[in-house]
Amino acid sequence: MVKPELLEESPVPLAEARAELEKAKSAGELSFRAGKCEDYLNDFVSLSAAKAADLFAKIQKLDIPRLKAEHVVQIVDLLPQTADDVKVLFQGSSVSISKKDMERIAEVVRE
């Protein structure tokens, strides 16, 4: 039996995961777990994969210090509309972002 090797680990927005599941579904029938994932993603993801990638790029172009890819993915998945919403996202983490940067993030998401 072939043992798969993990080459790279990177965060993926939920919209992109939904697009990948759709590709897998068109290739064949989904397993029980994949079907449950598909149901969840269809219920909670409002962006298309292209729009999510575009938003991801726009947020990264803001060039906010200490903001990593996994934080940007979290922003793209949850779509905070105000600076206070952005603040709530980062309350549990060790990342500190200025109020001005939070407002810039919320402004990009609202567009």
Side-chain angles (χ1 to χ4, degrees):
M1 185 165 141
V2 178
K3 217 174 180 186
E5 182 180 332
L6 182 63
L7 300 176
E8 182 183 353
E9 187 174 333
S10 62
V12 177
L14 292 177
E16 189 175 327
R18 182 174 68 179
E20 290 299 320
L21 263 178
E22 288 173 4
K23 286 181 190 176
K25 187 176 181 179
S26 66
E29 189 174 324
L30 295 177
S31 67
F32 175 75
R33 286 187 181 167
K36 287 291 188 184
C37 286
E38 182 187 31
D39 291 342
Y40 174 83
L41 293 172
N42 287 336
D43 288 342
F44 292 103
V45 176
S46 60
L47 293 178
S48 67
K51 286 184 180 180
D54 184 44
L55 182 58
F56 186 90
K58 284 181 182 179
I59 294 171
Q60 283 202 318
K61 282 183 186 177
L62 293 176
D63 204 27
I64 297 171
R66 296 181 301 276
L67 195 66
K68 297 180 182 176
E70 50 267 7
H71 301 122
V72 177
V73 166
Q74 190 176 19
I75 292 167
V76 170
D77 288 343
L78 298 176
L79 301 172
Q81 299 295 311
T82 64
D84 290 334
D85 292 344
V86 176
K87 182 179 179 181
V88 168
L89 284 178
F90 294 108
Q91 273 184 335
S93 68
S94 61
V95 176
S96 60
I97 300 175
S98 69
K99 181 76 170 171
K100 179 183 173 186
D101 288 337
M102 288 183 199
E103 290 170 356
R104 289 173 42 205
I105 291 170
E107 183 180 325
V108 168
V109 171
R110 280 192 303 264
E111 291 176 0

